[in-house]
Amino acid sequence: MTQRGGARAGAGRKKGHTSEAKKIGREVSGRVTKNLADACATPLEVMARVMQGDVSITEMQFEAAKAAAPYIHPKLSAIQMDARVRRSVEDMTDEELAALASGEEGGGEGEV
């Protein structure tokens, strides 16, 4: 009886394999980025020159720089980190438990 649906052994793209289109896209993107950097014309540099009052940059060039910026300059993500180490009650010392019970701050190693 033949199998219907579901995963089949050996089917699909192999792990780690990159498609030819993606390889070409990365190559072109790298070449464009390098050419822009060599010409001192990356979107960030164009915007910085406009901020400094460079009037030789046209409105169209500035709009093109704004549109290209997300593809060349990655956005920085804002993350919030909670660096406190969480421990169970069984791992705490008597002093730490007493500090928690009395509502005092501190109370052990690993807390920031």
Side-chain angles (χ1 to χ4, degrees):
M1 187 164 160
T2 62
Q3 179 181 1
R4 292 183 176 246
R8 292 177 301 281
R13 189 181 59 175
K14 306 301 178 229
K15 289 195 183 279
H17 178 74
T18 305
S19 70
E20 195 64 31
K22 190 169 268 192
K23 286 180 188 176
I24 292 170
R26 286 181 180 164
E27 178 185 320
V28 169
S29 175
R31 196 169 49 235
V32 167
T33 302
K34 183 183 180 317
N35 289 343
L36 286 174
D38 290 346
C40 294
T42 63
L44 190 58
E45 289 167 338
V46 170
M47 288 185 225
R49 285 174 36 200
V50 169
M51 284 176 44
Q52 294 169 348
D54 187 348
V55 293
S56 67
I57 297 172
T58 66
E59 184 70 26
M60 183 179 276
Q61 289 171 321
F62 183 71
E63 290 300 318
K66 279 186 0 185
Y71 297 99
I72 296 176
H73 304 292
K75 281 188 175 181
L76 301 176
S77 62
I79 61 169
Q80 185 175 12
M81 186 176 119
D82 184 8
R84 289 182 289 173
V85 177
R86 308 224 184 257
R87 300 184 311 167
S88 68
V89 176
E90 289 83 21
D91 295 336
M92 293 184 179
T93 64
D94 290 337
E95 293 82 24
E96 291 170 330
L97 290 171
L100 283 175
S102 66
E104 295 177 18
E105 282 297 316
E109 62 184 64
E111 288 196 12
V112 179

